[in-house]
Amino acid sequence: MGGTERYFYGNYTPVGDILVIATCFLFLLLMRIAFITRTRTYVLFRLLIMFLIIAASSSVGFHFFLSRANEHQELLITMLRASYHSALYISLFIYIAYIREQMHLDKRVTMTAILPMAVITLGLCVFEFLSAVFKWGFRVVGNDQALETINLFPFAYVAFCLVIVALLVRFRKRLFKQVMTGVFGASVLAFITLYIQERFEQSSYTVATFVLPAYAVLYMMHSHPYNLEMGAVDVSAFSDLVRYSRKRKKELLLMSLQLVNLEEEGKQYPEKVKETVRRFASEYFRDATLFQVTNGTLFLAVDKGKNPDHENIVNKMLNAFDEEYPSYRLPFKIVIMDFDEGLSESNDYAGFVRYVESVMGNNEVHFVTRADINEYQRHKYVLSELQDICKKGDLDDPRVHVYCQPVLNIQTKKYDTAEALMRIVLPETGMVYPDVFIPIAEENGIIHPLSLIILHKTCEQIRIMLEQGYEIVRISVNISTVELHDDSFCLDISSVIRKSGIPFEKIAIELTESRSEGDFVIMKSKIDELRESGVTFYLDDFGTGYSNFERIMELPFDIIKFDRSMLMAAGTDMNSEKMVTHLAEMFIDMDYAVLYEGVETTDDEERCVRMDARYLQGYKYSKPIPIEQLTEYFSKKA
């Protein structure tokens, strides 16, 4: 500054700088606890905090020794002042570098903005320390007093701030709106604090103004971190929004987008998709928030009160989405719904959306109805009951019921075999059928305990009927191929049969064919092991979809069950009947028995007999009945 001016530093208290030091150490502690991945932005932010600690410490030391100045301490005082200013210059430069890193600015911006600022920062620091050594522009004249003719700090501070603001404004579309608001708001507070300090001729809170934007950065980008490329926050923040909105009785709209091919953790979004997501999240609704629930699933939460025309906006977004879809053509699923009180209370929107998506096809848009929510609540209830059944591990659990469908033996004209079918009877829903609970059990890894229960109850009924003199060749139990991966599968099955006291050959296990090479190897080893004990094996649902004859021939099945679709096909014309007949003859020649499922009429029965049936099963003979009623079909020994 021009001329010679006398500066008084008596209006200083170390409270502001000490508070800055304490706050910065708290930041470092929180970062050590909260951060997992050490990215470059993490390193830059740590450097920023460390230089703010250096600046605050130098400020305290400078004012402390200035108040006790003597001729031997003048160099120490000027060096502390140089360190104070230099640490603030470097902090401002780190802010610029941090913004560049978070916005993923290209090399052109780095060359035109970042590198020149780096050179300027270095030059300012060198000047400050040379000034301290050669006493340029600053000289101690007494306690609390110094003469200052050159002070570049105010001008440099303004220049740095202008560069930061210019970057934020120029590339504002790369930074999510909430982050922009937080950083700008903190910067405005910093300028106001500096202005008030100057008005009261204070110098105690300069470094504190640098901490305010740092606090905004820590909270906005590292507390509930924004994915700045997508403009999204994580799922825990969504849970907070649900709780807050429910408490304030806000009506919200939820739109979810699942990009099916990107669900796998670590999959990268194409740049075109990132750009589209950012734009859709910010341009259509007022104050909407985007959440990244999984790697491939995004939620957009909209305050309906701030968007009274939300229905029109949704339609506009979907039309725009359809127009842009050909440019990237990734399979997607979109779910749109109003917030629901029940789902808000349990904070289970993520689970509900996953459930809806599981029954959707690719490239579909689904508007949620009350029926969807009711079905999901039923799904959750069934799952909780199944989990409770498995947790208790009671093989006699009354909620698991065994039904059986008798099978007619063509050779003996008797019912001496049957298929055991599981049913679940629950207090709130009554009877639950396998097409509902089996997929739930398989998906959640709890199917094996249920199979052991039905096997146990089947064995117990066989034992009772044998003791009563009934003639039973065997009863089959369906087993999921998922269970075969359990190392203890064979041991569990053998243990249940052995404890019942019945012969192993009275039990058969029905398996469906798997396409997986790994499943095939495991299935073969498990069949081989249990067949040595006398257990019989059925290949279930032959003729539905995929069938690999080479693999079937390698698996030691005893009975091949032809699905009803084969029986229906054979009824269309003579050529189809001949084809099915030849398949049956081929299996019989290789010592397999053939069982036809789905026999409903006398015509079905006669056709199956012509096609070399050994066993017949279907509604013509009996619907599934409680296993205790098998005594009405089975005969006692003479």
Side-chain angles (χ1 to χ4, degrees):
M1 297 192 297
T4 300
E5 296 183 15
R6 181 180 297 275
Y7 280 74
F8 296 88
Y9 291 88
N11 292 334
Y12 170 83
T13 173
V15 172
D17 287 326
I18 291 173
L19 185 60
V20 166
I21 295 171
T23 301
C24 288
F25 275 113
L26 177 60
F27 282 4
L28 293 175
L29 175 62
L30 295 176
M31 291 168 68
R32 182 177 180 83
I33 296 171
F35 279 81
I36 299 174
T37 55
R38 282 4 186 192
T39 61
R40 283 190 292 183
T41 53
Y42 168 84
V43 173
L44 283 173
F45 194 77
R46 276 181 61 93
L47 283 173
L48 171 65
I49 299 304
M50 292 170 65
F51 274 101
L52 289 178
I53 292 174
I54 293 171
S57 302
S58 299
S59 177
V60 172
F62 166 70
H63 289 94
F64 175 82
F65 287 106
L66 181 62
S67 65
R68 296 164 175 76
N70 59 58
E71 59 185 22
H72 302 295
Q73 295 176 329
E74 185 171 2
L75 179 60
L76 173 62
I77 293 171
T78 55
M79 291 297 286
L80 285 170
R81 177 180 177 274
S83 176
Y84 166 55
H85 282 174
S86 296
L88 293 181
Y89 293 144
I90 295 171
S91 297
L92 288 167
F93 173 74
I94 291 174
Y95 272 121
I96 296 174
Y98 187 92
I99 291 170
R100 183 262 172 197
E101 190 69 31
Q102 286 284 26
M103 290 184 169
H104 302 280
L105 302 181
D106 57 30
K107 292 182 179 180
R108 179 178 57 82
V109 177
T110 302
M111 295 299 294
T112 57
I114 307 301
L115 287 181
M117 295 308 299
V119 173
I120 292 172
T121 301
L122 179 61
L124 288 170
C125 293
V126 171
F127 176 81
E128 288 289 341
F129 282 100
L130 288 177
S131 297
V133 174
F134 296 105
K135 301 179 182 179
W136 296 341
F138 180 84
R139 184 163 58 87
V140 177
V141 295
N143 288 2
D144 288 328
Q145 296 184 20
L147 289 175
E148 190 168 56
T149 57
I150 302 175
N151 184 7
L152 297 180
F153 180 78
F155 303 102
Y157 178 86
V158 172
F160 273 104
C161 290
L162 289 176
V163 172
I164 292 172
V165 171
L167 286 174
L168 290 174
V169 172
R170 171 67 179 81
F171 301 101
R172 61 188 178 276
K173 290 186 177 180
R174 292 176 178 250
L175 202 60
F176 203 45
K177 181 180 177 181
Q178 282 87 337
V179 177
M180 286 283 292
T181 303
V183 173
F184 269 121
S187 300
V188 169
L189 287 176
F191 283 120
I192 293 173
T193 303
L194 275 176
Y195 173 77
I196 294 173
Q197 177 177 263
E198 289 297 319
R199 289 282 297 173
F200 287 92
E201 297 182 352
Q202 263 283 347
S203 59
S204 305
Y205 302 99
T206 302
V207 183
T209 63
F210 284 66
V211 176
L212 295 177
Y215 184 85
V217 168
L218 178 67
Y219 182 81
M220 299 299 295
M221 301 186 198
H222 300 298
S223 175
H224 283 308
Y226 279 85
N227 179 338
L228 297 180
E229 294 183 351
M230 302 292 292
V233 290
D234 63 20
V235 68
S236 61
F238 177 75
S239 298
D240 291 340
L241 173 68
V242 172
R243 284 191 290 269
Y244 174 82
S245 300
R246 181 170 181 263
K247 184 177 180 180
R248 298 296 180 93
K249 300 187 182 305
K250 284 191 173 185
E251 292 188 17
L252 300 180
L253 174 75
L254 177 66
M255 300 181 68
S256 79
L257 169 66
Q258 182 192 39
L259 297 172
V260 180
N261 291 353
L262 300 178
E263 273 294 359
E264 184 180 340
E265 195 65 33
K267 285 273 189 177
Q268 297 298 315
Y269 281 69
E271 288 300 324
K272 177 67 175 177
V273 176
K274 293 178 185 176
E275 178 187 338
T276 303
V277 168
R278 285 197 300 268
R279 181 159 46 81
F280 272 60
S282 60
E283 288 188 0
Y284 287 90
F285 290 103
R286 181 183 178 188
D287 293 337
T289 305
L290 187 68
F291 301 89
Q292 187 151 21
V293 180
T294 65
N295 194 67
T297 300
L298 300 163
F299 284 0
L300 185 67
V302 179
D303 187 338
K304 293 167 68 174
K306 295 181 180 179
N307 298 272
D309 57 341
H310 56 272
E311 293 182 358
N312 293 330
I313 297 175
V314 167
N315 292 328
K316 185 178 178 181
M317 284 184 70
L318 293 177
N319 291 333
F321 186 86
D322 287 339
E323 292 176 2
E324 297 208 15
Y325 177 72
S327 64
Y328 49 86
R329 303 194 68 81
L330 287 172
F332 68 87
K333 298 177 182 181
I334 294 177
V335 178
I336 301 171
M337 64 177 296
D338 293 330
F339 266 40
D340 174 78
E341 175 61 25
L343 292 175
S344 296
E345 183 178 2
S346 60
N347 214 330
D348 193 26
Y349 286 95
F352 171 72
V353 171
R354 281 196 302 271
Y355 172 76
V356 174
E357 290 170 344
S358 69
V359 297
M360 292 173 62
N362 286 343
N363 302 341
E364 286 187 6
V365 178
H366 182 77
F367 288 86
V368 172
T369 65
R370 168 50 53 184
D372 294 321
I373 297 174
N374 291 341
E375 188 61 30
Y376 176 64
Q377 299 293 4
R378 182 171 183 263
H379 168 89
K380 281 185 63 179
Y381 170 68
V382 171
L383 174 58
S384 67
E385 288 290 315
L386 294 178
Q387 290 172 330
D388 184 64
I389 290 171
C390 297
K391 180 181 178 181
K392 290 183 176 178
D394 179 8
L395 293 179
D396 292 305
D397 195 300
R399 290 169 288 186
V400 180
H401 290 233
V402 182
Y403 276 59
C404 273
Q405 192 168 31
V407 175
L408 178 65
N409 187 328
I410 296 297
Q411 291 181 345
T412 64
K413 306 299 182 182
K414 294 181 179 180
Y415 297 101
D416 51 17
T417 65
E419 178 184 3
L421 303 166
M422 193 186 322
R423 301 287 188 266
I424 304 294
V425 179
L426 303 177
E428 293 185 12
T429 60
M431 181 79 74
V432 184
Y433 291 92
D435 62 328
V436 173
F437 69 79
I438 292 295
I440 298 174
E442 288 182 335
E443 182 181 346
N444 291 275
I446 53 177
I447 185 65
H448 186 51
L450 297 174
S451 295
L452 294 180
I453 293 175
I454 190 173
L455 176 62
H456 164 74
K457 292 192 173 188
T458 300
C459 290
E460 288 300 304
Q461 184 61 27
I462 291 174
R463 181 182 58 78
I464 292 170
M465 291 178 67
L466 289 175
E467 290 175 352
Q468 293 173 347
Y470 285 93
E471 186 176 352
I472 301 176
V473 174
R474 75 185 72 87
I475 295 180
S476 63
V477 176
N478 288 276
I479 295 294
S480 169
T481 54
V482 174
E483 301 177 57
L484 301 179
H485 291 270
D486 193 327
D487 292 337
S488 64
F489 173 78
C490 291
L491 180 61
D492 293 341
I493 298 294
S494 299
S495 177
V496 171
I497 299 173
R498 186 176 296 108
K499 288 180 180 178
S500 71
I502 67 170
F504 275 73
E505 59 266 22
K506 299 301 179 183
I507 288 294
I509 289 178
E510 295 194 20
L511 296 169
T512 55
E513 188 182 358
S514 173
R515 293 190 181 191
S516 166
E517 179 67 28
D519 283 350
F520 168 75
V521 173
I522 293 172
M523 183 182 292
K524 188 175 186 305
S525 67
K526 295 297 195 294
I527 292 176
D528 287 337
E529 183 175 344
L530 284 174
R531 282 184 93 246
E532 292 180 0
S533 303
V535 175
T536 303
F537 280 86
Y538 291 21
L539 174 62
D540 196 13
D541 295 334
F542 175 76
T544 58
Y546 170 86
S547 288
N548 187 320
F549 282 96
E550 181 181 355
R551 286 185 176 174
I552 292 174
M553 296 303 103
E554 291 185 40
L555 293 171
F557 288 110
D558 300 283
I559 296 174
I560 307 297
K561 296 185 70 172
F562 278 33
D563 186 73
R564 174 166 171 77
S565 61
M566 298 283 281
L567 177 58
M568 296 293 291
T572 58
D573 54 60
M574 288 302 298
N575 287 332
S576 298
E577 182 174 327
K578 286 180 181 180
M579 181 189 71
V580 176
T581 302
H582 288 319
L583 284 173
E585 289 174 348
M586 179 189 69
F587 283 119
I588 292 169
D589 289 342
M590 300 179 67
D591 295 327
Y592 294 94
V594 175
L595 185 157
Y596 286 92
E597 294 183 284
V599 180
E600 296 183 357
T601 66
T602 301
D603 287 342
D604 289 342
E605 180 182 73
E606 292 174 352
R607 192 180 311 120
C608 290
V609 172
R610 290 197 304 268
M611 295 187 301
D612 294 323
R614 171 69 181 277
Y615 300 99
L616 298 178
Q617 177 181 349
Y619 280 15
K620 182 182 188 303
Y621 312 108
S622 174
K623 293 182 178 181
I625 57 175
I627 192 171
E628 295 80 10
Q629 295 179 19
L630 279 181
T631 55
E632 299 173 10
Y633 289 83
F634 282 46
S635 303
K636 289 189 176 183
K637 295 178 182 179

